[in-house]
Amino acid sequence: MKKPPESTACALAAALLVSACGGGDPATDTTPPTVAITAAAGPAGTVVFTFSFSEPVGNTFAAEDVTVTGGNTAAAVTQVDATHYTLSVLQVSGTVSVTLGAGKFSDAANNVNVASASKSYSDPASNVPAGYKLVWSDEFSNAGLPDSSRWAYDTYRNPVGWFNNELQYYAAARPQNSSIADGVLSITARRERLGSAPDYGNQDFSSARLITQGKFSFTYGFVEVRARLPCSLGTWPAIWTLGIPADNWPTNGEIDIMEQRGFSAADKATVLGTLHMPAHFAGGGLSESRSLPDACTAFHKYQLLWTANQIQIGVDGVVYNTYAKPAGATASTWPFDVPQFILLNLAIGGDLGGPVPAGFTSDSLQVDYVRVYRP
């Protein structure tokens, strides 16, 4: 049988991943391999970095070879083909970067890379301030009930009914109303009467209200919550914070990072950002709205920047409600110098939820993550 040309044999070997061949015979190849890195937004708050090598690498390329800043490695390296690998990184700051240093990989001739390569990715929908670092988060990565070290359940008004003419019973540690699956927390409201519950208040609906009170609180910072809102009329989801102690409302202030009314389809395509304090108690507080047509079909990033002098509420990097600390501020006009805790809930009916359609059975507020950053 005739021996194939050397170039053909080299191509066959490369296809079988047994030789680099790009530099010729391993015995004479002295060219160091190189790598180029690209980045793109991935699912659920991740960034996917693609590593394109100049030739097949002779040693195993792994996540441990990569230095990551501004994020956490979300999975192991995935090999796409002989020269391409991907790495998924969970973004936890405004910019996430990866670096593959010199001496981290080699070709079949044992030539080690002499040049490093880096790539950064900034999410245009996230505006984490420069210098801020992640101090608390829940990525909802463990299936089941919410993490009890991070969240408690607010149920104290169940026997007598909730504020604002709301119609729900808030259940504690009940997977039908609060559960995690596939990295997403679902707070689900249902049409059902839980008459066997010892604190039942004759409500026709169940739901959940999660709070970090007693687990985590903060004074000033940047908060980002990635969430998808319910589409059903009659639902009133909220992502918000309350000053401590909460029973002194509105003296210690309230910051509504996101609320959504439920009276009409137009309400479901709009989000609200609101501040409550003694000086602005009547009239629903200092509230602004933003059109968000796909709020109930797509995930968005709901954001709060709270400093000693100003509060900004926004979505996907766009600020739409700003309140500056007034000159000569008092506790009535600026109660926002005390710690606040985080709340996630889905109310039914009430002053902002509106009438509940007869055909309503269930719907959910879905939360991908909650992150708090501070300088």
Side-chain angles (χ1 to χ4, degrees):
M1 185 174 182
K2 186 178 179 180
K3 182 179 179 180
E6 182 177 350
S7 61
T8 304
C10 184
L12 290 171
L16 294 172
L17 304 182
V18 297
S19 172
C21 293
D25 190 325
T28 60
D29 177 11
T30 59
T31 304
T34 59
V35 63
I37 309 173
T38 57
T46 62
V47 179
V48 177
F49 291 90
T50 299
F51 300 81
S52 301
F53 294 92
S54 58
E55 53 186 305
V57 292
N59 62 314
T60 301
F61 171 55
E64 291 75 16
D65 298 320
V66 182
T67 300
V68 177
T69 57
N72 299 318
T73 302
V77 165
T78 299
Q79 184 172 2
V80 178
D81 56 32
T83 59
H84 295 84
Y85 295 76
T86 59
L87 177 65
S88 179
V89 175
L90 181 66
Q91 186 170 9
V92 295
S93 69
T95 299
V96 60
S97 304
V98 298
T99 299
L100 186 53
K104 289 296 185 179
F105 58 93
S106 61
D107 62 16
N110 291 321
N111 296 305
V112 177
N113 69 304
V114 296
S116 63
S118 299
K119 183 66 178 180
S120 297
Y121 176 87
S122 296
D123 183 354
S126 181
N127 57 342
V128 180
Y132 278 54
K133 297 180 180 180
L134 188 70
V135 296
W136 187 91
S137 71
D138 197 338
E139 306 295 332
F140 304 114
S141 54
N142 296 321
L145 290 170
D147 184 349
S148 60
S149 71
R150 290 180 170 90
W151 301 98
Y153 296 90
D154 197 355
T155 62
Y156 85 105
R157 289 281 302 187
N158 279 339
V160 295
W162 285 87
F163 303 108
N164 310 305
N165 301 305
E166 298 163 28
L167 304 176
Q168 75 286 330
Y169 168 93
Y170 280 135
R174 185 172 184 258
Q176 295 91 331
N177 298 112
S178 57
S179 63
I180 299 168
D182 300 321
V184 173
L185 165 69
S186 293
I187 298 178
T188 303
R190 301 177 181 276
R191 183 186 290 274
E192 60 180 349
R193 295 175 61 86
L194 301 179
S196 61
D199 60 345
Y200 181 58
N202 204 38
Q203 294 92 345
D204 290 330
F205 305 91
S206 67
S207 189
R209 175 160 151 151
L210 274 63
I211 59 175
T212 65
Q213 187 175 21
K215 313 281 185 178
F216 171 76
S217 61
F218 66 106
T219 306
Y220 317 134
F222 180 82
V223 181
E224 182 171 274
V225 180
R226 186 172 185 265
R228 184 193 68 80
L229 312 184
C231 290
S232 299
L233 301 185
T235 59
W236 175 6
I239 299 167
W240 51 308
T241 67
L242 273 176
I244 299 172
D247 58 4
N248 202 18
W249 187 92
T251 300
N252 289 332
E254 172 184 333
I255 305 173
D256 297 328
I257 304 171
M258 188 290 306
E259 287 184 290
Q260 182 199 52
R261 292 162 55 93
F263 286 83
S264 66
D267 287 338
K268 291 302 171 186
T270 304
V271 293
L272 307 174
T274 306
L275 299 170
H276 295 276
M277 65 200 83
H280 299 281
F281 172 70
L286 298 177
S287 187
E288 298 290 343
S289 65
R290 179 166 177 81
S291 174
L292 204 61
D294 61 348
C296 71
T297 57
F299 283 84
H300 291 274
K301 296 179 178 181
Y302 300 97
Q303 298 156 331
L304 162 70
L305 178 58
W306 170 25
T307 71
N309 298 304
Q310 184 174 254
I311 291 174
Q312 295 181 336
I313 299 172
V315 58
D316 293 337
V318 177
V319 173
Y320 66 93
N321 191 356
T322 299
Y323 178 61
K325 185 176 183 178
T330 65
S332 179
T333 60
W334 182 266
F336 302 108
D337 290 324
V338 299
Q340 302 230 346
F341 64 93
I342 300 170
L343 303 91
L344 306 173
N345 70 279
L346 177 53
I348 294 294
D351 297 347
L352 262 65
V356 183
F360 174 84
T361 56
S362 69
D363 207 343
S364 299
L365 164 64
Q366 294 190 311
V367 182
D368 180 24
Y369 59 73
V370 179
R371 298 173 182 169
V372 180
Y373 304 79
R374 297 198 74 233

